[in-house]
């Protein structure tokens, strides 16, 4: 592995995806959105009629993995197209039905093992000077030996306001939705507590540009 690796974890609405992408662009690095793979597998399960709620049919989900032909772009300068086989699912994986079911898929240990191995192959095969990898469990499981490991976070009310500004709706309703999402996902990964050696970047009082600059500074300092 020749690429420098920047691992970024964070809760929903923290801005980790947009900040990580912009930082990768400024650094001339690749950008890997790991959450898209969980969403894509969830989309495939829904398309195949696999029961996911209230409890996922784990065997049926795991049976999808051998044929899970997943691809995502790594450029930080453009929206990354996501494909499952020949189907472009870039927009479909952002639909509400996928968001409502993705935690059920992510809590399956075999799914996490499979996708973590896939992410590690992507990192190892990176031909750019570096790669910014963002999601959950990145600093502790996917890339625990990354040169830079960051927990990017913000106060709950700030995260809710930002997400409401992006997607519409009241900040109060969004706050409830974020809290529910965090609660579900915390069953699979602790993305609220920094592991040893992980730098906390709290962007509550930073603008977007300042948040990007702060992440870039952490990488350059390393």
């Amino acid at each position: 592995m020749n690429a420098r690796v920047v691992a970024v974890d964070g809760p929903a609405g923290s801005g980790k995806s947009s900040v990580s992408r912009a930082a990768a662009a400024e650094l001339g690095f690749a950008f890997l959105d790991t959450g898209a793979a969980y969403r894509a597998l969830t989309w495939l399960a829904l398309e195949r009629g696999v029961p996911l709620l209230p409890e996922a049919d784990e065997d049926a989900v795991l049976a999808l993995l051998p044929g899970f032909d997943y691809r995502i772009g790594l450029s930080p300068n453009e929206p990354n197209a996501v494909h499952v086989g020949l189907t472009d699912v870039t927009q479909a994986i952002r639909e509400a039905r996928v968001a409502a079911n993705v935690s059920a898929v992510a809590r399956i240990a075999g799914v996490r093992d499979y996708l973590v191995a896939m992410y590690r192959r992507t990192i190892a095969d990176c031909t750019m000077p570096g790669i910014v990898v963002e999601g959950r469990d990145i600093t502790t499981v996917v890339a625990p030996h990354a040169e830079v490991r960051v927990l990017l976070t913000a106060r709950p009310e700030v995260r809710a306001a930002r997400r409401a500004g992006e997607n519409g709706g009241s900040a109060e309703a969004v706050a409830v939705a974020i809290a529910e999402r965090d609660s579900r996902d915390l069953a699979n990964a602790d993305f609220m507590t920094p592991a040893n050696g992980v730098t906390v970047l709290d962007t509550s009082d930073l603008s977007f540009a300042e948040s990007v600059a702060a992440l870039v500074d952490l990488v350059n300092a390393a």
Side-chain angles (χ1 to χ4, degrees), residues 186-200:
L186 278 169
N188 307 319
D190 184 359
F191 48 85
M192 295 292 199
T193 306
N196 290 337
V198 174
T199 300
V200 177

Side-chain angles (χ1 to χ4, degrees), residues 37-38 41 58 61-62 65 104-117 119:
Y38 285 101
L41 182 58
E58 295 191 8
V61 173
L62 293 173
L65 292 177
V105 171
R107 69 169 56 102
I108 301 173
V111 166
R112 295 198 304 276
D113 291 344
Y114 181 93
L115 294 184
V116 165
Y119 301 146

Side-chain angles (χ1 to χ4, degrees), residues 60-138:
V61 173
L62 293 173
L64 298 174
L65 292 177
F68 184 47
D69 180 15
Y70 172 80
R71 288 168 289 122
I72 186 172
L74 299 179
S75 171
N77 298 305
E78 58 192 34
N80 299 123
V82 179
H83 288 83
V84 175
L86 299 177
T87 305
D88 186 333
V89 297
T90 309
Q91 299 301 320
I93 64 172
R94 304 298 170 183
E95 293 174 356
R97 66 175 186 139
V98 172
N101 286 275
V102 67
S103 294
V105 171
R107 69 169 56 102
I108 301 173
V111 166
R112 295 198 304 276
D113 291 344
Y114 181 93
L115 294 184
V116 165
M118 183 180 73
Y119 301 146
R120 288 175 175 167
R121 289 194 299 271
T122 300
I123 294 170
D125 292 342
C126 181
T127 58
M128 296 182 71
I131 182 169
V132 179
V133 186
E134 68 88 8
R136 305 280 174 81
D137 267 352
I138 309 304

Side-chain angles (χ1 to χ4, degrees), residues 4-6 146-149 215-222:
R4 299 177 68 190
V5 181
V6 180
E147 186 174 357
V148 179
R149 296 187 298 152
L215 181 54
V216 169
D217 286 347
L218 287 173
V219 177
N220 287 334

